[in-house]
Amino acid sequence: MRVGCPKEIKNHEYRVGLTPGAVREYAAHGHQVMVETGAGAGIGAGDDAYRAAGATIAKTPEEVFAKSDMIVKVKEPQPNEWVQLRENQILYTYLHLAPDPDQTKGLLASGVTAVAYETVTDERGGLPLLAPMSEVAGRLAIQAGATSLQKANGGRGVLLGGVPGVLPGKVAVIGGGVVGLHAAKMAVGLGADVTILDRSIPRLRQLDDIFNGRVHTRYSTVEALEEECFSADLVVGAVLIPGAAAPKLVSREMLSGMKKGAVLVDVAIDQGGCFETSHATTHADPTYEVEGVIHYCVANMPGAVPVTSAHALNNATLHYGLALADKGLKALVDEPHLRNGLNAHKGRITNAAVADALGYDLAEPKAVLAA
Ligand SMILES: NC(=O)c1ccc[n+]([C@@H]2O[C@H](COP(=O)([O-])OP(=O)(O)OC[C@H]3O[C@@H](n4cnc5c(N)ncnc54)[C@H](O)[C@@H]3O)[C@@H](O)[C@H]2O)c1
């Protein structure tokens, strides 16, 4: 198959759909890979690295879209990319269609077969192509929080690890899923005093086993949240109720009970945020203050560390990407978890949540693929 990787054009997006290492794997499977010039610049991979891996270099994005049977990207296509997609072409990337009616219309008009990373599933009920970005964001949440806690950045001036003779900082992690686990790992690594709150008792049991007494686990009630937030130096918001907006767990009123200069990192901001006072920020201006509490609410945290993020993403996407390249649409017929990633095909919506959110008739994936 002819596999193409254009340069990402979304604002401040430095990741790339295919790393040179991934290109080598596609080439080893006998595929022809075309990469747009400069596509890997954000992760320090020049055109020569791609040539050495077996790719040809295209001078323009138009060439990549026109000459590829499958397009591998990171972010959802932008308006000038929708119009270059076509029927009998596979698009493999993050899409997040439910809140994006314009993009959905664009993809449907193109007729492209769109496979969304974020809805591919695994046998344990997880979202394997979303998880690596949650791992990155969770770990980054502590780095960002620790930096914001520094006095010059508006924070309380607390070192999370403390020093001999001085107590460490207190970190509360709300939501002990993928983000929460990785945030807790980093905070523990720095020597902080860490509490994880969650509503799932089985998950709290698991976390208790993983950390072997090194973190406190707490069932998430209003009372527990208040106590933890009021005593915390850093609070990480990491809850998710799949398919729903994040619940507002920390109210504006609660901020007045928190320490001045404490920091809230709302990782769940991409689902609307779990603090009442959160609004999305960017890496260019990541923090703001409300009631003396510093808020960090960057919606695309992994974008800050594109080298790590692009490699983590490629590790996760490679297996199914190769299946798509090797077998084409038959991969979607054969692999139910990959088929869950199919969001649009030949002008029809094939994902129930997207159809529901945007008022389209659902086309059953198996049926449209068989047609
Ligand atoms: N900002 C970013 O750049 C970025 C990057 C990656 C992920 N995220 C977001 O981070 C959030 C968390 O993602 P995840 O992969 O860890 O999800 P996850 O499903 O692995 O974990 C969510 C956890 O929240 C818990 N939870 C639900 N309601 C709760 C409540 N009321 N109190 C306490 N815990 C509760 C669940 O039991 C679960 O353990 C999602 O919104 C995700 O989209 C943001």
Side-chain angles (χ1 to χ4, degrees), residues 130-131 133-135 137 174-180 197-200 203 220 225 237-242 246-247 249 266-271 298-302:
L130 203 56
M133 295 306 102
S134 288
E135 292 169 353
I174 310 175
V178 181
V179 169
L197 299 107
D198 204 292
R199 283 248 152 162
S200 157
R203 183 58 176 169
S220 177
L225 279 169
V239 299
L240 176 66
I241 298 174
L249 299 176
D266 199 345
V267 185
I269 189 67
D270 62 342
Q271 298 288 333
V298 175
N300 66 329
M301 293 176 68

Side-chain angles (χ1 to χ4, degrees), residues 299-320:
N300 66 329
M301 293 176 68
V305 287
V307 175
T308 305
S309 300
H311 285 103
L313 179 63
N314 272 257
N315 290 346
T317 56
L318 183 63
H319 168 77
Y320 282 132

Side-chain angles (χ1 to χ4, degrees), residues 274-288:
C274 58
F275 310 136
E276 188 187 352
T277 43
S278 293
H279 64 75
T281 58
T282 63
H283 289 294
D285 191 10
T287 59
Y288 61 95

Side-chain angles (χ1 to χ4, degrees), residues 36-311:
E36 184 185 342
T37 183
I43 64 160
D47 291 351
D48 283 347
Y50 281 101
R51 277 193 201 96
T56 56
I57 302 298
K59 285 207 176 71
T60 63
E62 287 77 14
E63 196 182 345
V64 177
F65 282 96
K67 292 187 176 166
S68 303
D69 306 306
M70 172 161 112
I71 298 287
V72 185
K73 274 177 52 58
V74 179
K75 295 305 284 183
E76 71 278 5
Q78 303 300 297
N80 63 336
E81 294 175 321
W82 308 336
V83 292
Q84 299 183 65
L85 295 164
R86 60 174 185 276
E87 204 169 312
N88 297 322
Q89 189 177 47
I90 296 171
L91 171 67
Y92 184 48
T93 190
Y94 286 119
L95 288 174
H96 298 285
L97 290 181
D100 195 344
D102 291 343
Q103 188 204 163
T104 306
K105 258 189 227 151
L107 292 189
L108 291 179
S110 75
V112 75
T113 298
V115 180
Y117 293 161
E118 71 274 8
T119 62
V120 173
T121 52
D122 64 21
E123 55 290 338
R124 288 171 302 160
L127 301 170
L129 308 195
L130 203 56
M133 295 306 102
S134 288
E135 292 169 353
V136 170
R139 292 184 179 214
L140 198 57
I142 300 301
Q143 280 185 209
T147 306
S148 300
L149 269 173
Q150 292 173 24
K151 198 74 183 166
N153 300 326
R156 302 192 62 222
V158 166
L159 183 64
L160 282 181
V163 288
V166 181
L167 289 175
K170 284 198 71 176
V171 177
V173 179
I174 310 175
V178 181
V179 169
L181 169 66
H182 287 269
K185 281 187 173 179
M186 286 294 270
V188 164
L190 286 177
D193 178 2
V194 183
T195 301
I196 308 177
L197 299 107
D198 204 292
R199 283 248 152 162
S200 157
I201 292 175
R203 183 58 176 169
L204 290 174
R205 285 201 182 102
Q206 243 178 357
L207 292 165
D208 185 68
D209 278 345
I210 292 168
F211 287 102
N212 201 19
R214 184 57 188 82
V215 304
H216 316 286
T217 57
R218 209 163 166 190
Y219 187 72
S220 177
T221 60
V222 174
E223 184 178 70
L225 279 169
E226 274 187 2
E227 283 178 13
E228 294 303 329
C229 289
F230 293 169
S231 62
D233 298 294
L234 169 60
V235 179
V236 177
V239 299
L240 176 66
I241 298 174
K248 303 289 178 214
L249 299 176
V250 175
S251 63
R252 179 180 285 272
E253 210 184 331
M254 279 169 70
L255 298 188
S256 57
M258 290 183 65
K259 296 174 183 169
K260 294 291 168 221
V263 174
L264 296 177
V265 176
D266 199 345
V267 185
I269 189 67
D270 62 342
Q271 298 288 333
C274 58
F275 310 136
E276 188 187 352
T277 43
S278 293
H279 64 75
T281 58
T282 63
H283 289 294
D285 191 10
T287 59
Y288 61 95
E289 187 219 297
V290 182
E291 310 270 350
V293 175
I294 309 301
H295 291 54
Y296 176 104
C297 304
V298 175
N300 66 329
M301 293 176 68
V305 287
V307 175
T308 305
S309 300
H311 285 103

